[in-house]
Amino acid sequence: MKINLYSDTQSIPTEAMREAIARAPVGDEQKGTDPTVTNLLERVTSLLGKEAAIFLPTGTMCNAVAVATHCGRGDGLIAEANAHIMRYEAGGMASISGVLPKVIHGQDGQFSAADVLAHHDEGSRYTPRTTLLAVEQTCNLAGGTVWSVAALDEVAQQAKELGMKTHMDGARLFNAAVSTGVAAAEHCREYDSVWVDFTKGMGAPMGSVLCGSSEFIERAWHWKHRLGGALRQGGMMAAGCLYALDHYQDQLAQDHANARLFNEGLKNITHIKVRHAETQSNIVYFSLTGVKCTPSRFVELLAERGLKVGFVGDGLRAVTYNGITSDQINIALKLVREVASSLEAIN
Ligand SMILES: *Cc1c(COP(=O)(O)O)cnc(C)c1O
């Protein structure tokens, strides 16, 4: 049996989602006349408590469009060192928007108002103006950690006092909402822009929605078009996102329970060390200790037995999503135990 815990991006549309996609009423997305996209935008706008929204093919494009819309060339952007926007977006902020990254080395992907203050530059004849704060909810490379709403408010309020704009990469914001029991709109209430991804644990094949003020979204359209993200019958894809919105609560709760089960099991395996005693959402990070084996080799050995995990950032990563059952998690634990016990120990 093959078990794929590499990423929640490996989720594939269910039969029911495929049916919803096949039956979607469609129009011309870039003219604003695709009824299914319009429906999705209205749903997300209200769920996130913002004025307006725009449909984009990927989360990476949401970040690129948001940065381009908020910032001028040569402006500084504050984000955490392991944020996706820093590490995995091909330098988009620099190459597309000419923006200077101002990097905070935080804890678990998070930081404080004092960190924001310390990394801010007002701008002068000599210094670049820091104009945007970007946070990630949940923090992917930190292990799916969840910011508290109080901490999110605090850093955003500090940024606003400094005259900056605030942006939330909410690729897994719905995971955070399910994990905390606090509505998504509360998490992003202090943020000028926020987006959600439907292709991670939400299980849709394509689509993200970026939200903000009507004025911001109007300017974002210019960048969507410029980057080639304006669509035609986008409703086919929006239908998958709408289907996900109607069904995500129980699914994500199950994903979180499966991640917890995996993390608990790993704690009892010799030579395995989990990064967090308690998982907070659907991501588990772990490492090897006391053995002569590199993480990459360990990933290969597991793959040979039918278990796919990632070596992502600086650790071994397993992510749960809608294709994964608790039975598979138990088998995965058995495979990790078998491989770990076969490794040569360092004395
Ligand atoms: C996946 C991800 C993105 C990028 O989204 P894509 O839809 O893959 O382009 C951005 N930020 C975070 C935190 C992510 O996990």
Side-chain angles (χ1 to χ4, degrees):
M1 185 201 260
K2 293 240 182 298
I3 301 170
N4 187 348
L5 300 179
Y6 177 75
S7 171
D8 46 10
T9 55
Q10 311 281 305
S11 58
I12 53 173
T14 59
E15 282 306 319
M17 182 184 279
R18 286 167 196 256
E19 269 177 43
I21 290 170
R23 283 206 229 96
V26 292
D28 190 350
E29 191 266 351
Q30 60 179 261
K31 296 267 190 286
T33 60
D34 186 299
T36 307
V37 172
T38 304
N39 186 359
L40 175 67
L41 296 181
E42 281 168 4
R43 287 278 300 276
V44 179
T45 302
S46 123
L47 267 174
L48 301 190
K50 301 296 176 199
E51 257 174 40
I54 191 167
F55 187 55
L56 292 163
T58 66
T60 301
M61 199 181 285
C62 287
N63 275 337
V65 165
V67 171
T69 306
H70 283 305
C71 300
R73 299 190 75 79
D75 284 1
L77 180 160
I78 295 178
E80 211 276 333
N82 282 319
H84 197 280
I85 201 170
M86 288 287 179
R87 295 201 50 180
Y88 289 126
E89 296 182 10
M93 73 169 85
S95 67
I96 298 166
S97 299
V99 161
L100 178 77
K102 308 268 288 187
V103 183
I104 294 178
H105 292 272
Q107 184 69 40
D108 284 341
Q110 298 165 33
F111 47 84
S112 66
D115 293 321
V116 174
L117 185 61
H119 287 74
H120 172 261
D121 245 318
E122 208 173 294
S124 69
R125 194 175 280 187
Y126 309 106
T127 58
R129 217 159 54 97
T130 315
T131 56
L132 185 61
L133 169 70
V135 301
E136 203 171 281
Q137 178 77 314
T138 67
C139 308
N140 179 348
L141 270 83
T145 52
V146 180
W147 288 79
S148 71
V149 171
L152 285 169
D153 283 356
E154 190 190 306
V155 292
Q157 282 157 4
Q158 173 66 82
K160 284 180 178 176
E161 268 172 42
L162 295 165
M164 300 168 65
K165 297 287 185 204
T166 52
H167 171 70
M168 177 182 287
D169 170 340
R172 293 183 185 78
L173 175 56
F174 290 127
N175 288 86
V178 167
S179 168
T180 55
V182 176
E186 295 295 306
H187 296 248
C188 59
R189 63 188 174 196
E190 292 290 337
Y191 289 78
D192 297 305
S193 55
V194 54
W195 63 269
V196 286
D197 206 329
F198 290 94
T199 71
K200 304 284 169 81
M202 302 290 278
M206 194 179 109
S208 306
V209 173
L210 171 67
C211 293
S213 70
S214 304
E215 182 266 343
F216 169 83
I217 293 299
E218 196 44 49
R219 288 190 295 120
W221 262 102
H222 197 61
W223 281 100
K224 168 176 158 95
H225 205 91
R226 181 174 281 162
L227 297 178
L231 309 173
R232 300 268 148 65
Q233 287 74 43
M236 302 284 295
M237 293 300 107
C241 307
L242 276 168
Y243 183 89
L245 273 184
D246 288 332
H247 296 90
Y248 77 94
Q249 305 256 9
D250 291 348
Q251 181 58 56
L252 296 189
Q254 183 60 50
D255 296 346
H256 297 174
N258 284 339
R260 209 173 305 125
L261 179 66
F262 193 59
N263 201 61
E264 286 303 313
L266 289 178
K267 286 187 203 169
N268 297 322
I269 299 178
T270 313
H271 301 311
I272 298 288
K273 188 163 168 273
V274 294
R275 184 181 294 179
H276 293 108
E278 308 281 337
T279 53
Q280 294 177 32
S281 58
N282 68 329
I283 302 177
V284 178
Y285 264 94
F286 57 106
S287 55
L288 288 168
T289 61
V291 282
K292 290 178 186 159
C293 182
T294 63
S296 316
R297 180 65 192 137
F298 191 64
V299 167
E300 275 173 20
L301 290 169
L302 288 173
E304 281 167 17
R305 300 194 184 213
L307 173 64
K308 196 167 170 198
V309 301
F311 178 45
V312 179
D314 58 354
L316 296 161
R317 190 185 75 169
V319 191
T320 56
Y321 56 92
N322 70 4
I324 303 299
T325 63
S326 56
D327 286 347
Q328 288 180 314
I329 294 293
N330 286 320
I331 297 168
L333 285 167
K334 186 172 124 306
L335 295 173
V336 173
R337 181 174 286 117
E338 278 173 18
V339 174
S341 65
S342 74
L343 301 174
E344 195 186 337
I346 299 168
N347 300 310

